[in-house]
Amino acid sequence: MATHVITGAGSGIGAAVARRLDERGDDLVLLARDAGRAKDLAGQFPGARTLVADLAEPDRISWAFGHQTMPERIDSLVHSAGVLDLGTVGELGCKTWRQQLNVNLIAPAELTRLFLPQLRAARGHAVFVNSGSGLNAHAGWSAYAASKHGLKALADSLRQEEHGNGVRVTSVYPGRTASPMQAKVHAQEGKEYEPSRWIDPESVATAILTAIDLPRDAEINDLTVRPGR
C-alpha cells in the first residue's frame, strides 16, 4: 500500500487526485493550512492523516512539522496547492507578488526538501502540478506565471539532482481547469464562468496517476494537458 502526501486536496485537481488514490485503498497524508481546514479534510477523506502548515508562510513549515508526527514512508508527494491573483506589473504590489511566490514556489521547494529523505528511501515520486502559465506568460499574469516558471525550474533541477537516488519527478501543465480557482480567474477577468468549457479535474487526475503508476523502467518528465473542447 502506497502513501501519498498531497497539498491542495480540498478542491480542484488535488481533491480529484486524493479521491482516486483513496478509492483504491492507498494511504493519504493531506496538508492543511490550519486546524479547521484539517478537520474539514478529515471529514472529506475518512482515514486520511493530516498535517497542518501554512504554505503562505514557508519559513514556518519546518517548525510546524516539528510539532507533528511525520509519515515514515512517502511514495509520492503531489504539489497541487496554488494561489492566483491577476494584475499588470504596474498594478501589483510586493504583498501580492510575495504571496504567490510563497505558496506556488517557495513552499513546494521547502516541502520537497523536508520530505526528501522519505522519498529517497521509497524511491518515490515528486509531482508538481504546474500550469500552462509555467510555459507561457501573458499580460496580467506576471506574478502567477513567474511563480510557475520558477516551479518548472525547481522540478527540472530536482530531477537531475535526485535521478541517482531513484526519485522520479514529473511536472504537469494543465490548461484551464474547472475549479474554484478558475471561477476566481473569470471573476477577475470580468467574464462569465462556464465550467463545461474547461478541463474536468478528474481528467488531470487521470494524467497524474498515469505518471505515478508508470513502471519503474520509465519516467514522465513533463505532461501538458489542454482543453479538448
Side-chain angles (χ1 to χ4, degrees):
M1 185 181 298
T3 299
H4 310 273
V5 176
I6 306 173
T7 72
S11 65
I13 295 169
V17 171
R19 279 194 300 271
R20 296 278 285 277
L21 294 172
D22 186 51
E23 287 171 357
R24 73 187 198 183
D26 286 359
D27 285 335
L28 302 182
V29 181
L30 308 178
L31 203 71
R33 63 177 174 267
D34 55 40
R37 191 60 171 162
K39 184 178 180 180
D40 292 341
L41 286 172
Q44 189 175 348
F45 298 98
R49 289 173 284 171
T50 58
L51 289 173
V52 176
D54 189 351
L55 301 187
E57 298 183 12
D59 290 345
R60 294 179 60 82
I61 293 175
S62 180
W63 176 88
F65 283 175
H67 295 76
Q68 301 172 76
T69 301
M70 304 297 288
E72 295 182 1
R73 178 186 178 90
I74 297 175
D75 294 279
S76 80
L77 171 59
V78 181
H79 297 283
S80 187
V83 295
L84 190 162
D85 278 298
L86 301 182
T88 66
V89 175
E91 296 169 339
L92 295 178
C94 288
K95 182 178 179 180
T96 304
W97 273 92
R98 192 174 295 113
Q99 181 188 33
Q100 294 183 77
L101 290 170
N102 279 348
V103 174
N104 299 344
L105 174 58
I106 300 175
E110 177 67 351
L111 287 174
T112 302
R113 181 183 74 85
L114 294 172
F115 287 129
L116 260 180
Q118 293 97 318
L119 286 170
R120 288 168 175 163
R123 294 175 63 83
H125 201 143
V127 178
F128 296 86
V129 180
N130 201 298
S131 164
S133 294
L135 300 172
N136 299 283
H138 300 284
W141 291 70
S142 59
Y144 182 73
S147 71
K148 292 298 188 176
H149 274 66
L151 192 67
K152 179 184 185 301
L154 167 63
D156 289 347
S157 294
L158 180 70
R159 185 180 300 112
Q160 293 189 34
E161 293 167 0
E162 296 299 324
H163 180 76
N165 293 320
V167 177
R168 298 195 292 189
V169 179
T170 299
S171 287
V172 183
Y173 303 92
R176 295 202 179 207
T177 304
S179 66
M181 177 182 283
Q182 194 55 233
K184 178 182 177 181
V185 169
H186 276 70
Q188 293 186 31
E189 292 176 325
K191 298 178 180 178
E192 183 179 353
Y193 175 53
E194 298 179 25
S196 62
R197 293 183 58 195
W198 309 118
I199 304 169
D200 190 313
E202 293 290 341
S203 299
V204 183
T206 296
I208 291 171
L209 265 64
T210 297
I212 291 175
D213 293 340
L214 199 69
R216 291 295 316 185
D217 65 315
E219 173 184 11
I220 296 176
N221 293 167
D222 298 282
L223 187 56
T224 299
V225 184
R226 305 301 300 169
R229 298 180 179 89

